[in-house]
Amino acid sequence: MSEEMVLSIYRGDANGGQEEEYRVPLETGMVVLDALHYVQAEAAPDLAVRWNCKAAHCGSCSAEVNGRPRLLCKTRLDQYVGQVVHIRPMHAFPIIKDLVTDVSSNYRVAKQIPAFQPRTPAPFTMYQRDVDRVQEFHRCIECFLCQDTCHVLRNHGGTDQYFGPRMMAKVAEWEMHPMDVADRRQFLKDVAGLPMCNVTRCCVDVCPEHIVITDNAIIPLKERVADQYWDPIRALFRRFHRPAEGAVPGAGSDVSSRA
Amino acid sequence: MTTNKKSSSNVNVETIERHQYDVVIVGAGGAGLRAAIAAADGQAKVAVISKSLLGKAHTVMAEGGVAASLGNVDADDSWDTHFYDTMKSGHFINNYEVVELYTKEVADRVLELESWGAVFDRTPVGKIMQRPFGAHSFRRLAHIGDRTGKELIRTLQYQVIHHSVDVFQEVTTTRLLLDKEGRTAGVFGYYREDGRFVIFQAKSVVLATGGFGKAYKVTSNSWESTGDGAAMAFQAGAELMDMEMVQFHPTGMVWPPGVRGLLVTEGVRGEGGLLYNSQHERFMLRYDPVLHELSSRDVVARSIYKENLAGRGTPHGGAWLDISHLPAAVVKSKLPGMYEQFLSLADVDITKEAFEVAPTTHYAMGGIRVEAATGATNIPGLFAAGEVACGLHGANRLGGNSLGDILVFGRRAGMAARAYADDHDQGDLMSGQMEDEAQRVLAPFSRTQGERPYQLMAELQEIMTNYAGMVRSRDTLETGLEQLKTLQERSTRMVISGSRAYNPGWHTIFDVQSMLVLGEAVIRGALAREESRGAHWRTDFPEELPEMGAWNFVHTFQEGTVVVRADPVPAMPDRLARLFESNQSPGILRKQQRAARRGGDS
Ligand SMILES: Cc1cc2nc3c(=O)[nH]c(=O)nc-3n(C[C@H](O)[C@H](O)[C@H](O)COP(=O)(O)OP(=O)(O)OC[C@H]3O[C@@H](n4cnc5c(N)ncnc54)[C@H](O)[C@@H]3O)c2cc1C
Ligand code: SF4
Ligand code: SF4
Ligand code: FES
């Protein structure tokens, strides 16, 4: 099989740029990242693309292939036979060069999430059935494709207003940990911008780890926040069982998005 | 579009961005992050530098688990059994002090991760689950499915960002800076984003830069494993040891070509996967009648090779690995990553059919020689931990012992570096050293023609694979050395085009240079070790020789050449040597004795 593929790769930086075409022979099982490496070795050694593992484990190689946010190392090239393959950097993040974007905002907001706070030090007694649901979030490879796809981040200045789906999965991971005692509800509402999410589910569609971010993380988190702020009896009950700080009954929340 | 096309190589070092820290850690894999947490536990000002983004280091790829004798599923397990297994698999050239510290402390390090939010798979009574792995006496590997490395790095990464540690992402260091007394004074590097230089002054430096598996063509290692830290330290005067010991993991993917070398976790065999040759024979029953598929990695890798030599290999030169006899649901829950990896990259459903595997370069047992308790190198103020260091694994690493290694010795090196920084002043930087380095790093831009970095990388991998790979002899090694020397000479003329901004070709130049230095040490060590031991297999000396087992080969860098000497392997004190009197590990012995007593009672 020596079919030739045409790759149209974005070349440029913060000052602008355009797509440039490169030809690559198609090999059995080739992924888009292989094709970019071929271009680096043969034609453009300075072509910037981020990657580490080439095994879909590290989440470095995120970009947009024919308009869809994808991992370059997990995207088979043979599905595009007969088409030009357009490869562009992620849209929601500022470009550094070519396919590499500045994803540092994700690390900045991650720092603000109140950390896991266990009731007692390990060893914990926890049963598999109790950790199944948090282990789903542990699959995350921090590729930020969900962040790239979320319209709130895409259209409203990145993570400034809403920390984004990846960070909600991270919060859920700690919130739902059977041993965790921290209270992140006010943080979710007032700092992380959870109410901004209107559950369009676009993030779930692009997640290479198949994490159901909306139904399993975002909606339950919204419910926790809503409970605290809307249901005085449950809020009282909660406070009885574990002290909640800064509960302000009646403050604005986002119930509509639960529909 | 892209600016500063050809940058002048006359650099004024005074204008280079500078930072001052007590402790600088190079590397943000498990070892570097664990070191940072330990170093930052107090007043010390700490920075972590990594050439990729936080959470992306090679450690993220680890699959099978972390080995610790928690005894959650096999109560007979204990540190001394883990000690026994590790020394035995290392063919007794490991540093016993390192192994003792490791096996005594690793369980605490694993539990500490649990306290920090790691969620390992559970036993029916709610404890951390442990799975069997090759050549471990008991079920010992704590894991989360087949993505344990991710759990480890993510947990440590979020600990680090919640500590007061400054993280410099995508900064590549190219040189270790020393003061005029030869003490550590800092590191020199550049931001990949725009290529600008940066100098970190530090009282102490911890190298946690990982291994050099990228020196080989077929490898499970990530882009970053180019041995930079070991090469930097070596050229600055640090000693390397056991460089001939490169682990070839028996089961890498073989087909299609783009995924060749990608790891198939030992967890597949741990969960019950069986190996077959082309005649549908379970050949491991022949090569290791006791442990079968779960024999040590060197043995399984060589067995696959021998089956191919005998004409019983698979279509692409490997063996068949089959786990399809287990219920599909079990495979998917215990090995979800493997299931997905084969389905998406090779169009193979491992719950339904067998798949091809063949050996792949996996781990560097050798590296910077360090003191057991502190990770201190022979350069004052320089410490090393993780895959870049050596001593724990001897001639063959046990699965799961590396994730444990990076936790135990990352922490120890971090604490020692902090203590050193407390007791010492900042060494003075020498401006000549920095100028030289700036010029060296920029030189490839000033050439208009010369060698292409990607081409040299491919040739280097070809040489190491063909002449210093899994099968070696004096002939292949000497040919390899000769070719490597030519390549070293050509590597001084590498050229790059484009700008300094995020330029992978430019970066490749330093990767190649690091690996050329280490490659020479691998070959010279392999020539010196005239026997076969663990991962090191010489067809001209096929036997393991007791007299050779008394030595570690140590390398020093003197005026541009690698010099090898033999140092005696430290002898175990009686209390440890006694563990090896019978041919059974202490835990298995205890178990047998108990069973015998019980038999006698009834
Ligand atoms: C596929 C695979 C599966 C594995 N599975 C297991 C397993 O199940 N159990 C187990 O125990 N072990 C396993 N291992 C081995 C284990 O993962 C590694 O040995 C270990 O993670 C190494 O960790 P480290 O912290 O020493 O270095 P790494 O994780 O390699 O980190 C190196 C760090 O150094 C940085 N760095 C390197 N050079 C420079 C430079 N010049 N400038 C700045 N920064 C630099 C990198 O950016 C990176 O952050 C596996 C390995 C592979 C490849
Ligand atoms: S569901 Fe919420 S987080 Fe996901 S893409 Fe839509 S708005 Fe963003
Ligand atoms: S949740 Fe999914 S898409 Fe988002 S960062 Fe994690 S792995 Fe990527
Ligand atoms: S390179 Fe690691 S996910 Fe693609």
Side-chain angles (χ1 to χ4, degrees), chain A residues 50 74 113 138-139 142, chain B residues 56 150-151 158 162 340:
Chain A
R50 216 180 242 135
K74 208 188 169 188
I113 303 175
H138 288 245
R139 293 209 300 260
E142 300 204 324
Chain B
K56 311 299 183 197
K150 179 161 54 177
E151 191 67 6
Y158 277 84
H162 286 93
E340 170 108 18

Side-chain angles (χ1 to χ4, degrees), chain A residues 33 51-61 71 73 141:
Chain A
L33 186 60
W51 71 285
N52 269 30
C53 68
K54 211 174 102 56
H57 289 321
C58 76
S60 303
C61 63
L71 292 180
C73 72
I141 57 173

Side-chain angles (χ1 to χ4, degrees), chain A residues 13 41 45 47 50 52 54 57-58 74 76 97 107 113 116 122 124 126 128 135 138-142, chain B residues 1 54 56 114-115 119 121-122 126 150-151 154 157-158 162 170 223 258 340 347 452 501 504-505:
Chain A
D13 57 22
L47 168 65
R50 216 180 242 135
N52 269 30
K54 211 174 102 56
H57 289 321
C58 76
K74 208 188 169 188
R76 290 272 290 265
K97 190 181 141 191
Y107 296 94
I113 303 175
F116 173 63
F124 303 149
M126 300 190 291
Q128 190 61 44
Q135 282 188 337
H138 288 245
R139 293 209 300 260
C140 174
I141 57 173
E142 300 204 324
Chain B
M1 223 175 71
L54 190 56
K56 311 299 183 197
E114 181 161 273
S115 287
V119 178
D121 287 352
R122 317 305 296 178
K150 179 161 54 177
E151 191 67 6
R154 205 66 81 227
Q157 162 193 351
Y158 277 84
H162 286 93
E170 297 196 320
W223 157 87
E340 170 108 18
D347 303 321
R452 288 158 53 208

Side-chain angles (χ1 to χ4, degrees), chain A residues 72 168 177 195 208 259:
Chain A
L72 296 171
M168 295 308 110
H177 190 297

